[in-house]
Amino acid sequence: LIEETLDLQRVLKRSCKDFDGGYAMAGMLGYGAAFVARDPIGIRPAYYYENDEIVAVASERPAIKVAFGVNFDEIKEIKPGYALIISKDGETEQKEFITPLEKKSCSFERIYFSRGTDPLIYQERKMLGKILVNQVIEAIKGDMKNTVFSFIPNTAETAFLGLIDGLQDHIAAQINKITSIKNYNQKELEPWLNTRIRIEKTVSKDVKLRTFITDDSQRDEMVSQVYDTTEDIIHKNIDTVVVMDDSIVRGTTLEKSILRILDQLGPKHIVVVSSAPQIRYPDCYGIDMSKIKEFVAFRAMLSLLKDRNQEDLLDEVYIKCKESLADPLEEVKENHVKSLYDLFTEDEISTKIAQIVTPKKLNAKVTVVFQNAKNLSKACPNHLGDWYFTGNYPTTGGNKIVNRAFVNFMEGKTVRAY
């Protein structure tokens, strides 16, 4: 009787109506039916493929493509707020089980965790690098002759390729600008015609070791062991080294390892370029970054407050966050931590981050360049979930988590905020 009459769509409507957050939730029933339900905002990804014999669901398209040897256009996306319901006979149908909301798929998933072999993700990551060209040129003061470009770690390679494409376009644009002038000066043109982008593999990483997801107690030791350098490729005390990174979360890898290693090569200036914006706020939708004090951007903001004798504002925000924890979930409309970041410009925080991650006795000057959130949206137009960077959480649960994370910080608690 259950097998004949059970309505999975109705079951999901009733059981998920109070859920808050991101999920792609799978279930199987004893009589042979199954389902995959995706959150109404589309925070977590979910893709599926079906033929006469199988139905397969995964969080990434390349996994399905490799497993079944199909084309990307044969792989479909489960719509936010819908469940892919698979009957015991193998028939599939997408059915709405919760009202879909404005789509805010996780952008950090695209920047960092997803496989770059997906053609869409590959192009997005290249664009992230290309968009940064003007900021990089400003950081090196236009001196491309004495600048070496590289990337760390391997996951930043695609954004690095985009940066190089953008630099080549910049050179071509300068040449076109000069030659478009009647009776142009050949001497002005020659430096651009002779400009070559210097690309080198400055630092290598052991790809088997992922320091980002390592336990806190082991991370520092691992960071010091996973990187190695390529010698004699830098003109000592003359060259600037520009290294592309996909994101800067804690700053630990820069401070404990990379900057020290690069400094041994003898550059005058090290520019670290992050293809992601400053990570300021915790996540609670599937990527475990919930301890706010670990973010180097947060530490930079605290340091700026101290420099300006405004630390009393921490107590004001603490009181607001503490009070919000007693409110019903649906009433937590505000992320109170944003008011602290709003006191400073992105450049001020970037400059302070550079100071924090620069080890003592480093010879080279250090500059850190970050992507901004608007350009992130341009590069990843279908993945606008940017709460890590902007604090604009798509659910009230997100606001509650960031407020709790700040309370934990102020009270000296080192536990997760969820």
Side-chain angles (χ1 to χ4, degrees), residues 127-247:
M127 182 56 67
L128 286 169
K130 195 169 187 177
I131 287 175
L132 284 162
V133 165
N134 289 338
Q135 290 174 256
V136 171
I137 290 173
E138 181 180 349
I140 65 174
K141 301 187 185 305
D143 184 9
M144 292 176 59
K145 178 182 177 181
N146 296 309
T147 301
V148 172
F149 296 89
S150 190
F151 60 91
I152 309 166
N154 294 341
T155 48
E157 182 176 8
T158 307
F160 173 75
L161 294 175
L163 174 65
I164 299 304
D165 282 353
L167 290 170
Q168 291 171 337
D169 290 346
H170 174 75
I171 294 170
Q174 297 304 311
I175 292 172
N176 291 335
K177 182 179 179 180
I178 295 171
T179 56
S180 65
I181 301 172
K182 188 176 182 180
N183 300 322
Y184 63 85
N185 188 334
Q186 184 67 26
K187 289 185 177 179
E188 291 183 11
L189 182 63
E190 285 177 0
W192 290 107
L193 291 175
N194 295 327
T195 297
R196 298 291 181 269
I197 301 172
R198 296 169 60 193
I199 301 171
E200 302 288 355
K201 184 84 170 179
T202 55
V203 177
S204 301
K205 179 182 180 183
D206 186 338
V207 297
K208 298 186 294 296
L209 301 175
R210 297 294 292 274
T211 58
F212 175 83
I213 56 176
T214 304
D215 179 77
D216 292 350
S217 62
Q218 301 178 34
R219 185 177 297 111
D220 287 356
E221 181 180 355
M222 181 180 288
V223 162
S224 66
Q225 298 176 8
V226 298
Y227 294 98
D228 199 5
T229 57
T230 305
E231 300 292 335
D232 299 328
I233 57 175
I234 301 297
H235 300 146
K236 296 184 184 299
N237 301 315
I238 296 174
D239 284 343
T240 293
V241 176
V242 174
V243 288
M244 174 70 76
D245 201 343
D246 49 20
S247 61

Side-chain angles (χ1 to χ4, degrees), residues 18-45:
D18 296 324
F19 283 9
D20 180 292
Y23 52 89
M25 178 177 57
M28 303 181 73
L29 288 85
Y31 67 85
F35 67 88
V36 179
R38 189 180 182 194
D39 68 83
I41 300 170
I43 295 174
R44 298 261 64 85

Side-chain angles (χ1 to χ4, degrees), residues 334-406:
E334 190 172 353
N335 167 5
H336 296 293
V337 183
K338 287 178 67 174
S339 64
L340 295 173
Y341 282 107
D342 289 344
L343 297 169
F344 311 104
T345 66
E346 289 188 12
D347 287 344
E348 286 174 326
I349 292 177
S350 294
T351 300
K352 182 59 70 172
I353 288 173
Q355 294 174 10
I356 290 173
V357 301
T358 301
K360 293 180 180 179
K361 299 181 180 180
L362 201 78
N363 295 313
K365 174 187 174 183
V366 175
T367 299
V368 182
V369 174
F370 285 92
Q371 187 75 259
N372 65 57
K374 287 184 178 179
N375 284 338
L376 171 65
S377 298
K378 290 179 182 177
C380 307
N382 296 318
H383 292 75
L384 302 177
D386 60 3
W387 52 88
Y388 307 89
F389 320 114
T390 64
N392 297 327
Y393 289 89
T395 74
T396 55
N399 291 330
K400 193 146 194 169
I401 293 301
V402 67
N403 291 340
R404 182 180 292 130
F406 187 79

Side-chain angles (χ1 to χ4, degrees), residues 221-330:
E221 181 180 355
M222 181 180 288
V223 162
S224 66
Q225 298 176 8
V226 298
Y227 294 98
D228 199 5
T229 57
T230 305
E231 300 292 335
D232 299 328
I233 57 175
I234 301 297
H235 300 146
K236 296 184 184 299
N237 301 315
I238 296 174
D239 284 343
T240 293
V241 176
V242 174
V243 288
M244 174 70 76
D245 201 343
D246 49 20
S247 61
I248 301 172
V249 184
R250 302 175 181 89
T252 305
T253 306
L254 289 175
E255 181 182 1
K256 301 290 185 182
S257 184
I258 289 175
L259 291 176
R260 296 177 190 272
I261 290 172
L262 288 173
D263 194 53
Q264 294 171 9
L265 299 175
K268 176 183 68 176
H269 186 191
I270 301 171
V271 180
V272 181
V273 184
S274 171
S275 65
Q278 298 165 3
I279 296 175
R280 301 179 171 190
Y281 304 96
D283 182 59
C284 54
Y285 300 129
I287 297 174
D288 187 18
M289 298 194 302
S290 64
K291 300 173 185 176
I292 198 168
K293 73 170 187 176
E294 293 183 350
F295 304 143
V296 69
F298 184 77
R299 289 190 284 144
M301 180 267 290
L302 294 177
S303 184
L304 288 168
L305 286 174
K306 184 177 181 180
D307 292 345
R308 300 185 184 183
N309 296 315
Q310 293 180 297
E311 291 178 287
D312 57 307
L313 296 176
L314 294 172
D315 293 322
E316 293 181 16
V317 172
Y318 168 69
I319 292 171
K320 292 179 180 178
C321 290
K322 188 79 171 178
E323 290 174 347
S324 75
L325 298 184
D327 294 335
L329 184 62
E330 63 274 10

